Amino acid sequence: MVLYPRTIRPGRKLRLLDELRPYLNQMPVNDLTASFALVVVLLVIRFVAGHAIRRRSDAAPHLQRRWIATIRNLLFFLGLIGLVLIWAPQLRTFAISLTAVAVAIVVATKELILCFSGAFMRASSRAFTVGDWIEVAGIRGEVVDHNIFTTTIHEFAPGSFNYTGRTAVLPNSMFLSQPMRNDSQTREFAYNSFSLTIDPYVDVFGYRQEIEAIVSDRYEPFRAEAAKANRTIERRHSVDLMDALSRVDFRTSDLGKYSIEIAVFCSTQLAESLKNDITCAVMSYLHKHVERHRENESEAEENPVGSHKPRPSS
């Protein structure tokens, strides 16, 4: 069976046009045209600005991401305001018809409203921007992007400044309920704190001076640069920081073990290597002297006081 395309008679076409004409006349053609033109202009500006920023090889990558995110968010707000102004008469009529369901809409979009409020709080307080190091709810990392709903960060490994390779997307509503810490003031130099846990049979308190000398010796090559950076941060941000010195504290843990708390002010790029150097030096020293102490105790048990070994006969 052969199917032929269905043809519409001229009279039927005219009837269809007559039926659609009231709807076509009600469509706000001018508003649609203005909205389309606004969106096209903003997209062109965003493309040109992003291309120009990426071509600047003298700017650091985190600065480029910061500029791109700022321009994108600014253009988004300008577009939002422009669309509201263009469609204001239609929105007024539409809002009147939605009065009965306004409460339901607010409840349904509660999380989005909280995210928008968190973004407004961040922008108004200037809590952080792209490129800053922040910590929220135990998640530390560098901010690589943010918008009115979410903030994207590259995660740091726990207790270090090394990237894990993972990306965390945080809803902006977290900033309304969770405390946020900004570590950007100490981006280049920071206080690196770590602890060494020792079994209680090792008398670490008896080696206090030796351990402090080891930490001070390993930290000495970085002391002058750290002190200069410390003064620069205090002058630039008008804050008071602790002196750029190495500190060693002795404590006990909840499990009944000894803990050596070490803190040094150093470059974030060298923090891990300095931490490993100090850890290896301290643990090697304790291991060597503990083994020697055990050998002395073994010899004392084998040769108690007042006894003597018989001399071998010639």
Side-chain angles (χ1 to χ4, degrees), residues 60-290:
H62 70 276
L63 291 179
Q64 293 182 359
R65 291 194 295 267
R66 179 183 302 176
W67 295 339
I68 291 175
T70 302
I71 292 175
R72 186 191 65 240
N73 293 331
L74 179 61
L75 293 178
F76 177 83
F77 280 109
L78 290 178
L80 185 62
I81 294 173
L83 291 176
V84 169
L85 294 177
I86 292 173
W87 292 90
Q90 287 74 15
L91 290 176
R92 187 181 301 109
T93 304
F94 184 68
I96 295 175
S97 63
L98 287 180
T99 303
V101 294
V103 176
I105 293 177
V106 171
V107 173
T109 59
K110 175 184 176 182
E111 293 299 327
L112 296 179
I113 294 174
L114 289 176
C115 290
F116 181 80
S117 302
F120 178 77
M121 185 274 294
R122 175 197 58 78
S124 60
S125 63
R126 297 182 180 179
F128 62 87
T129 184
V130 175
D132 288 351
W133 291 359
I134 66 172
E135 178 177 354
V136 182
I139 302 176
R140 297 174 59 250
E142 179 182 352
V143 179
V144 295
D145 192 12
H146 60 74
N147 52 47
I148 63 173
F149 297 117
T150 61
T151 297
T152 305
I153 67 173
H154 283 172
E155 262 190 317
F156 288 153
S160 70
F161 303 100
N162 296 329
Y163 295 102
T164 62
R166 298 192 300 265
T167 299
V169 180
L170 309 178
N172 290 336
S173 58
M174 294 180 62
F175 305 136
L176 300 176
S177 59
Q178 298 288 341
M180 190 275 299
R181 187 176 70 184
N182 193 325
D183 296 331
S184 298
Q185 293 182 354
T186 55
R187 182 186 180 93
E188 303 295 335
F189 283 79
Y191 292 98
N192 184 24
S193 302
F194 57 95
S195 61
L196 307 178
T197 304
I198 312 295
D199 288 329
Y201 67 81
V202 181
D203 184 16
V204 294
F205 307 104
Y207 301 112
R208 176 171 183 172
Q209 295 182 354
E210 290 79 1
I211 294 174
E212 291 177 348
I214 292 174
V215 175
S216 179
D217 180 66
R218 294 298 190 277
Y219 181 64
E220 186 62 32
F222 312 97
R223 189 182 304 275
E225 185 180 5
K228 180 180 179 181
N230 187 285
R231 292 191 297 269
T232 302
I233 294 174
E234 290 181 337
R235 184 174 60 255
R236 181 184 302 169
H237 299 284
S238 301
V239 295
D240 293 329
L241 301 177
M242 293 182 294
D243 294 335
L245 300 175
S246 58
R247 302 191 310 276
V248 180
D249 298 323
F250 295 85
R251 296 185 176 89
T252 57
S253 66
D254 297 336
L255 300 177
K257 295 187 177 183
Y258 298 151
S259 177
I260 305 175
E261 304 288 340
I262 301 173
V264 291
F265 185 80
C266 62
S267 170
T268 55
Q269 297 179 354
L270 302 175
E272 287 298 315
S273 61
L274 182 59
K275 172 184 175 181
N276 293 333
D277 189 18
I278 293 176
T279 301
C280 294
V282 172
M283 300 303 288
S284 177
Y285 176 85
L286 292 177
H287 180 75
K288 180 175 62 175
H289 283 74
V290 167

